Amino acid sequence: MATEHVRIRVFDTTLRDGEQSPGCSMNHQEKLRLAHQLDRLGVDVIEAGFPIASDGDFEAVKAIAAVVRRPIIAGLARACRPDIERAWEALKDAARPRIHVFLATSDIHLKYKLRISREECLAQARESVAFAKSLCADVEFSPEDATRTDPEFLCQVLDAVIEAGATTLNIPDTVGYTVPAEFGELIATIRRRVKGIENVTISAHCHNDLGMAVANTMAAVAAGARQVECTINGIGERAGNASLEEIVMAMRVRHDRYPYETAIAGEHLFPASQMLSEITGVPVQPNKAITGRNAFAHEAGIHQDGVLKNPLTYEIMTPQSVGVPDSKLVLGKHSGRHALAIRCEQLGYQFDRRALDDIYRRFVRLADKIKHVEDHHLLELIRDTHKPAASATPLFEPLPTAIAAAAAASATSQESPKPFPMAPAPNAFGMPLPVPAEHHDQEDYLWGV
């Protein structure tokens, strides 16, 4: 029996909510450049900006709407006529425009920020969505701070905006307050109690203040949300938004738990991450999942030994599946003899076991001092360690590049040196194939550590 493929719409808000992250503002041309990359990535919706915020933002949204034609282009608007009119003016030339209206619904926001009653909030939400609908067929509504809103009142607001013409209901965890089980229950409650909910798309927009934005988003999807709102690198207000690349790859790697599909082209994830970092000048944290520089890097000897034998031992996805060129073995004090030997081979040197032991002892002492041992450090160490007299038999043999290449071409029976690192060959599903077993045994494994 065929399994139904549930399609999840990816709504990217890097250009709007992401840009609100301190230090991440972008000008007109930078926004347009990133919008083209998001188009290549395959996102379904690009929230291009907040047109009422500034003339620059208005012009950027208008330019993106005019030239980026495949995805839906959304513009944000507060629940008032001037905002909605300004958003429509920026979006009206889009092939697929969407007005995204938001209004806070939690008591704390109503009392201290908006200073209106629940009844006034309900009326404002209904009227603003109806006005947006008179301009644009595709209207999204967000009850800001939904996860701290009384569920009964939240459902009343959602009932009203559906009746007024909203086509997508976004449920924002605006301050990153909720937890996965609770957020899943809220989505389930909305699906049970809101009239006409079967005719609209439920969306999830999660912030990362407690570090659970992606987990909360996945809980919402499991409970019935069919749109996810996220950003490249997880940038956004305060601790950021749910990370697009983490959501997408969670669905792909754990398809057994999350049997959903997206239109995202995985090989464009890393390029999008790098482009955003270059535009904003904000580097990606090294240990960031999927796109951080350490995401496919290995320093520990046990890990390096395993990855060299079969990448599946320590990598749950191929680097190529997200656009990273290859895995990387970092030579440091935790590295083992196996990785050191492979790197020496690539630099043109082969050692017998006794010579490698000697090199390895000196390598570890050096790594304790300088953290990462680069190629020039390793070459200097090799030269200083082995200086045989003219009459002595060298413990290592240099392999000039030209000689090594000629030997590999002429001797088909001779095994060519392993690459460093070894790139796994993917199967038809993009998963790495196991590396064929070689001469390694348990003794080699322990020694390789």
Side-chain angles (χ1 to χ4, degrees):
M1 181 177 177
T3 303
E4 180 185 0
H5 294 289
V6 177
R7 175 78 151 71
I8 303 300
R9 178 175 283 174
V10 175
F11 178 116
D12 182 275
T13 185
T14 304
L15 298 177
R16 199 279 299 171
D17 203 344
E19 194 204 17
Q20 292 173 198
S21 178
C24 290
S25 64
M26 293 172 253
N27 63 34
H28 180 141
Q29 290 303 318
E30 289 168 340
K31 277 196 165 192
L32 189 57
R33 180 182 166 205
L34 191 57
H36 282 298
Q37 177 61 30
L38 294 172
D39 188 17
R40 287 189 289 271
L41 182 61
V43 304
D44 299 284
V45 185
I46 296 175
E47 187 165 49
F50 194 175
I52 197 73
S54 71
D55 290 342
D57 223 31
F58 173 85
E59 293 300 333
V61 174
K62 188 175 180 66
I64 291 167
V67 299
V68 182
R69 310 300 285 175
R70 180 196 57 81
I72 294 169
I73 305 299
L76 188 68
R78 290 169 297 187
C80 59
R81 291 180 74 96
D83 276 41
I84 295 168
E85 288 171 341
R86 188 69 165 164
W88 178 243
E89 185 65 25
L91 293 168
K92 64 183 181 181
D93 293 329
R96 303 171 67 195
R98 173 183 294 183
I99 297 176
H100 181 187
V101 178
F102 75 98
L103 179 66
T105 53
S106 68
D107 288 334
I108 192 168
H109 277 241
L110 295 180
K111 180 178 180 181
Y112 294 103
K113 187 181 77 171
L114 299 180
R115 298 180 179 177
I116 61 175
S117 66
R118 285 187 176 184
E119 291 71 23
E120 290 171 313
C121 172
L122 190 62
Q124 188 174 336
R126 182 186 294 110
E127 291 166 9
S128 61
V129 169
F131 178 59
K133 188 71 172 184
S134 72
L135 303 173
C136 181
D138 189 356
V139 177
E140 177 170 335
F141 177 78
S142 289
E144 187 184 6
D145 204 22
T147 55
R148 293 193 298 173
T149 299
D150 171 55
E152 182 70 31
F153 179 60
L154 178 63
C155 289
Q156 288 177 25
V157 172
L158 297 179
D159 282 342
V161 296
I162 288 177
E163 187 177 357
T167 49
T168 299
L169 298 184
N170 179 45
I171 311 303
D173 183 28
T174 305
V175 293
Y177 177 74
T178 196
V179 297
E182 179 182 51
F183 197 46
E185 289 170 7
L186 178 60
I187 300 299
T189 297
I190 290 169
R191 291 184 68 197
R192 284 196 311 270
R193 297 176 58 180
V194 173
K195 294 187 290 293
I197 196 69
E198 67 279 0
N199 300 318
V200 302
T201 299
I202 301 175
S203 182
H205 179 116
C206 297
H207 280 261
N208 207 39
D209 297 72
L210 292 177
M212 290 187 277
V214 171
N216 288 333
T217 300
M218 301 308 291
V221 170
R226 293 296 175 257
Q227 177 177 283
V228 293
E229 305 201 357
C230 43
T231 62
I232 301 297
N233 294 338
I235 67 167
E237 293 274 9
R238 303 179 312 280
N241 287 53
S243 162
L244 183 151
E245 56 272 12
E246 293 174 25
I247 293 170
V248 169
M249 293 312 293
M251 292 180 190
R252 292 191 182 171
V253 173
R254 293 309 310 271
H255 202 67
D256 57 325
R257 291 285 182 175
Y258 301 109
Y260 312 110
E261 308 290 342
T262 72
I264 297 298
E267 65 274 14
H268 286 291
L269 288 170
F270 185 68
S273 168
Q274 292 293 292
M275 181 184 290
L276 176 62
S277 184
E278 182 262 315
I279 287 173
T280 62
V282 177
V284 181
Q285 68 188 67
N287 63 323
K288 166 75 172 66
I290 316 300
T291 56
R293 73 168 183 261
N294 289 347
F296 296 95
H298 309 272
E299 183 181 331
I302 292 175
H303 291 219
Q304 290 176 335
D305 183 68
V307 167
L308 285 165
K309 291 172 179 174
N310 187 332
L312 284 171
T313 54
Y314 287 101
E315 292 183 352
I316 61 172
M317 67 194 87
T318 67
Q320 293 82 5
S321 69
V322 299
V324 175
D326 213 338
S327 302
K328 180 170 62 176
L329 301 193
V330 178
L331 291 181
K333 69 177 183 178
H334 302 107
S335 299
R337 290 171 179 80
H338 192 173
L340 179 63
I342 294 293
R343 191 64 193 137
C344 287
E345 286 182 17
Q346 288 204 325
L347 292 174
Y349 295 92
Q350 286 184 328
F351 297 92
D352 64 20
R353 184 156 177 169
R354 181 161 63 89
L356 185 61
D357 278 343
D358 193 14
I359 290 284
Y360 182 70
R361 283 191 294 270
R362 295 168 187 262
F363 161 78
V364 171
R365 287 198 295 270
L366 178 62
D368 260 332
K369 297 176 182 178
I370 66 173
K371 295 187 179 179
H372 289 162
V373 179
E374 306 293 344
D375 287 351
H376 67 92
H377 297 130
L378 189 54
L379 287 168
E380 185 177 346
L381 184 149
I382 291 170
R383 287 193 294 268
D384 291 346
T385 302
H386 291 289
K387 296 177 180 177
S391 60
T393 302
L395 294 174
F396 62 91
E397 291 291 341
L399 295 178
T401 303
I403 297 174
S410 61
T412 55
S413 61
Q414 182 180 348
E415 183 185 9
S416 59
K418 289 183 198 171
F420 181 90
M422 182 182 297
N427 62 18
F429 300 97
M431 295 298 293
L433 294 170
V435 177
E438 297 175 355
H439 63 277
H440 302 293
D441 54 21
Q442 183 68 9
E443 180 185 2
D444 288 331
Y445 171 72
L446 293 173
W447 178 63
V449 175

